[in-house]
Amino acid sequence: TGEAVNPKAYPLADAQLTITIMDLVQQAANYKQLKKGANEATKTLNRGISEFVVMAADAEPLEILLHLPLLAEDKNVPYVFVTSKQALGRACGVTRPVIACSVTTNEGSQLKSQILQLKDAIEKLLI
């Protein structure tokens, strides 16, 4: 990882938080509570069903997903960047790189408490 991360990719998760995020994204994928891709993530935000949004800081060009933080802020949805789209793709359970994904709300979900914990952690980054 010799490349500097694009400064527009804010807030960027540290190594520990990234592991937590990837773990939860993986579980969300198993529970079918995950939308992969910038377009799908945009739709979840517009429909108000997004818990939080994860974006890859190494998307090329980064501008293709910089509309998401704006939309997320409008909707009061926490968002966070991780360093690698390849790793995000793996966590989403696909072989392709994924530049953005959205964990969706689900009543009675087993992930509720973990999602809340992660939302707090992400919100602390934004302060």
Side-chain angles (χ1 to χ4, degrees), residues 35-105:
K35 293 285 182 224
K36 298 177 284 289
N39 295 346
E40 293 281 345
T42 306
K43 286 184 223 168
T44 63
L45 283 167
N46 284 330
R47 293 178 186 148
I49 57 170
S50 179
E51 287 280 5
F52 63 89
V53 177
V54 184
M55 292 162 287
D58 62 348
E60 249 338 285
L62 189 65
E63 284 60 34
I64 54 182
L65 46 75
L66 286 183
H67 64 283
L68 286 166
L70 300 171
L71 195 54
E73 275 172 18
D74 281 348
K75 307 276 187 194
N76 279 325
V77 173
Y79 59 92
V80 67
F81 282 89
V82 292
T83 41
S84 157
K85 58 188 174 192
Q86 207 68 52
L88 189 56
R90 277 200 293 276
C92 291
V94 292
T95 49
R96 306 281 303 143
V98 167
I99 59 163
C101 66
S102 169
V103 174
T104 56
T105 42

Side-chain angles (χ1 to χ4, degrees), residues 1-10 12 56-58 62 81-84:
T1 54
E3 300 168 25
V5 173
N6 193 320
K8 292 184 187 137
Y10 174 86
L12 188 66
D58 62 348
L62 189 65
F81 282 89
V82 292
T83 41
S84 157

Side-chain angles (χ1 to χ4, degrees), residues 116-127:
L116 288 173
Q117 277 172 339
L118 191 54
K119 280 171 117 170
D120 286 346
I122 294 172
E123 273 154 10
K124 285 194 184 84
L125 288 177
L126 286 165
I127 297 167

